[in-house]
Amino acid sequence: MLPWLLLILTAVFVALAIDAYRLATPSQSVPFSVTAEAIGQDASHLPLHEQEELKTWNHVYGMGKLNQSVWLFAILAFGSGVATVFAFLE
């Protein structure tokens, strides 16, 4: 039973890694208004140069690079895949 659950878990992590890879965009190409809306702020009244400063600050101290979630799901998929192989070999 455990090997099959690990196999399903591996498939889920692979699907999440593929989805995160397809959704990944360079952080510089996303306007700050989109990021601000996601964290509940209103940046519509700010000039563009102030939005760029906030974008840089948020990139360093705030949410960071969300594109790194691809690596998280890939590592989880690899780890659960190895565990699945060992579980089936027992």
Side-chain angles (χ1 to χ4, degrees), residues 67-84:
N67 294 341
Q68 301 302 321
S69 63
V70 175
W71 288 106
L72 171 70
F73 291 126
I75 290 169
L76 288 172
F78 179 75
S80 60
V82 169
T84 302

Side-chain angles (χ1 to χ4, degrees), residues 1-88:
M1 180 73 178
L2 179 65
W4 292 105
L5 290 175
L6 285 172
L7 184 63
I8 292 170
L9 187 65
T10 302
V12 167
F13 284 142
V14 167
L16 286 173
I18 291 170
D19 190 45
Y21 177 74
R22 291 178 55 200
L23 291 174
T25 60
S27 62
Q28 297 302 325
S29 67
V30 178
F32 181 71
S33 59
V34 174
T35 307
E37 184 179 321
I39 58 177
Q41 296 178 352
D42 181 27
S44 61
H45 64 284
L46 295 174
L48 287 178
H49 71 280
E50 287 185 22
Q51 287 185 17
E52 285 301 317
E53 289 175 9
L54 288 173
K55 181 178 177 179
T56 304
W57 184 89
N58 190 47
H59 179 69
V60 174
Y61 299 107
M63 293 172 21
K65 295 176 82 174
L66 297 178
N67 294 341
Q68 301 302 321
S69 63
V70 175
W71 288 106
L72 171 70
F73 291 126
I75 290 169
L76 288 172
F78 179 75
S80 60
V82 169
T84 302
V85 168
F86 282 122
F88 271 113

